[in-house]
């Protein structure tokens, strides 16, 4: 009897540990000016089932439309996209409870920040309307300093409505963290900056820039798992460009599109990510399209289209693949929900789980350890 009890207890403990291993926190950043939102939401996500439960929320945080988490999982940094009054915020983060406590905030030094990254030394922000990049230092208590450097872009593009001035849409670390790449939708350029994390003023130093097709509007990019290729998504024409990458230098090798062959209507490319195994690339498209395109990544770095899938909502802004690779979640800015798709790891295909997180204007999804 005693032995049976020990066996049952061991099975229970093992099952509990296994269940906990498959639980992750899902942080969701939102727009707070279009409907009722508290700002940043923390959900418990079960990667066995695709299920979720609300754990915690912030209170009265303005438009935290993009988030980044520190490597030690103790801090979260967010942009506060608010025109000329835009700021960047630092939060203490308790993963077990999902609670976020505001530490401090600083002026973004540019209107409408839309992307944010961090490492051990700095927090770096892309200011869309300001057309510039701001670099903030980190203090030991998790707070951020005033901007140590502001890098201004210049120029415009041929689309008079969208490219009347520079619009920095992204900052992104190279895999070796020696460079930071930045897309400018306004002047159709991708910039490469040498990254000097310990410098006091010139943290970013221009290495190179490359122009893409006029009017294409570069928005987001990502690296292949081996770091040899960069995939650039253009918002205004739906192009998806493949570059070889080495030591801060991009060279175009191919180009395709996220648009279906027979598509007629408005579109607006949004987000791009590669599966954890490096085999598939996904890209979202808004406007009247509201799709996610799937590509198989070939050995030469080029892409083979596997078609488009409806995202089952309006305005698929950001999306994220859970840490196990089994699920892909799409945040819909305009239909106010996050749709949970099951992902076939072998084929890359997506199927609807029927699960939805109902939330005001979700625009950023980040998975963390709980």
């Amino acid at each position: 009897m005693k032995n049976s009890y020990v066996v049952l207890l061991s099975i229970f403990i093992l099952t509990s540990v296994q269940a906990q291993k498959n639980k992750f926190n899902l942080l969701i950043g939102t727009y707070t000016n279009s409907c009722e939102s508290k700002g940043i939401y923390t959900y418990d996500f079960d990667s066995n089932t695709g299920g979720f439960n609300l754990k915690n929320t912030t209170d009265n945080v303005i438009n935290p439309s993009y988030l980044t988490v520190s490597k030690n999982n103790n801090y979260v940094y967010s942009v506060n996209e608010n025109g000329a009054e835009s700021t960047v915020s630092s939060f203490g983060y308790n993963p077990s409870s999902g609670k976020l406590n505001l530490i401090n905030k600083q002026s973004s030094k540019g209107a409408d920040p839309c992307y944010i990254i961090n490492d051990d030394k700095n927090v770096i922000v892309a200011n869309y309307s300001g057309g510039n990049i701001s670099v903030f230092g980190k203090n030991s208590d998790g707070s951020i300093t005033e901007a140590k450097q502001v890098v201004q872009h210049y120029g415009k593009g041929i689309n008079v409505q969208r490219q009347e001035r520079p619009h920095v849409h992204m900052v992104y670390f190279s895999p070796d963290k020696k460079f930071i790449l930045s897309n400018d939708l306004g002047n159709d350029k991708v910039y490469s900056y040498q990254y000097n994390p310990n410098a006091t003023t010139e943290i970013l130093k221009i290495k190179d820039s490359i122009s893409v097709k006029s009017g294409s509007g570069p928005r987001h990019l990502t690296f292949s798992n081996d770091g040899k290729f960069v995939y650039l998504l253009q918002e205004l024409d739906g192009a998806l460009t493949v570059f070889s990458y080495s030591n801060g230098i991009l060279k175009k090798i191919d180009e395709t599109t996220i648009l279906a062959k027979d598509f007629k209507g408005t579109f607006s490319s949004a987000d791009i990510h590669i599966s954890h195994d490096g085999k598939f690339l996904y890209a979202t498209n808004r406007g009247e399209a509201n799709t996610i395109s799937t590509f198989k990544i070939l050995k030469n770095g080029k892409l083979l289209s596997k078609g488009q899938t409806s995202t089952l909502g309006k305005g698929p802004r950001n999306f994220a693949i859970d840490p196990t690779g089994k699920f892909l979640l799409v945040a819909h800015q305009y239909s106010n929900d996050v749709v949970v798709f099951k992902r076939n790891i072998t084929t890359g295909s997506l199927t609807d789980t029927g699960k939805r997180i109902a939330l005001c204007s979700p625009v950023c999804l980040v998975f963390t350890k709980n």
Side-chain angles (χ1 to χ4, degrees), residues 162-213:
R162 297 294 311 278
Q163 297 182 307
E164 77 291 357
R165 61 177 183 268
H167 289 303
V168 182
H169 221 309
M170 186 184 226
V171 281
Y172 203 83
F173 286 114
S174 63
D176 60 10
K177 297 286 182 79
K178 291 182 179 178
F179 296 91
I180 285 174
L181 271 56
S182 178
N183 306 332
D184 197 309
L185 181 146
N187 64 16
D188 293 317
K189 285 186 178 181
V190 180
Y191 295 82
S192 172
Y193 291 95
Q194 188 175 324
Y195 179 51
N196 308 296
N198 297 308
T200 52
T201 54
E202 200 173 24
I203 301 101
L204 299 181
K205 188 176 181 181
I206 190 71
K207 166 77 181 248
D208 195 31
S209 67
I210 186 167
S211 294
V212 293
K213 190 166 65 178

Side-chain angles (χ1 to χ4, degrees), residues 30-46:
T30 67
Y31 279 118
T32 58
N33 57 359
S34 57
C35 44
E36 192 174 332
S37 171
K38 294 178 180 294
I40 304 171
Y41 291 72
T42 308
Y43 286 84
D44 198 35
F45 184 82
D46 188 333

Side-chain angles (χ1 to χ4, degrees), residues 1-117:
M1 186 74 177
K2 192 175 181 181
N3 287 343
S4 299
Y5 175 75
V6 171
V7 170
L8 286 170
L9 183 62
S10 299
I11 291 170
F12 174 76
I13 291 169
L14 193 63
T15 306
S16 298
V17 169
Q18 197 61 39
Q20 199 58 33
K21 272 185 179 179
N22 291 298
K23 291 278 184 78
F24 300 93
N25 280 355
L26 171 63
L27 298 176
I28 304 182
T30 67
Y31 279 118
T32 58
N33 57 359
S34 57
C35 44
E36 192 174 332
S37 171
K38 294 178 180 294
I40 304 171
Y41 291 72
T42 308
Y43 286 84
D44 198 35
F45 184 82
D46 188 333
S47 62
N48 280 330
T49 65
F52 52 86
N53 290 295
L54 180 64
K55 285 178 82 167
N56 231 312
T57 70
T58 55
D59 200 20
N60 299 322
V61 176
I62 297 171
N63 291 340
S65 61
Y66 220 87
L67 317 172
T68 184
V69 182
S70 64
K71 190 167 72 173
N72 63 12
N73 214 28
N74 289 335
Y75 304 103
V76 171
Y77 306 94
S78 89
V79 302
N80 303 107
E81 194 177 332
N82 192 28
E85 305 300 313
S86 293
T87 56
V88 179
S89 296
S90 169
F91 299 87
Y93 177 45
N94 182 328
S96 59
S97 68
K99 188 165 179 56
L100 293 164
N101 291 304
L102 179 67
I103 299 173
N104 79 325
K105 58 185 177 180
Q106 299 285 359
S107 166
S108 65
K109 297 295 183 181
D112 300 318
C114 62
Y115 209 97
I116 184 168
I117 56 176

Side-chain angles (χ1 to χ4, degrees), residues 122-142:
N122 301 296
V123 174
I124 304 168
V125 170
N127 293 306
Y128 179 80
S129 298
N132 57 27
I133 302 167
S134 297
V135 183
F136 305 85
K138 281 186 176 182
N139 297 315
S140 57
D141 64 354

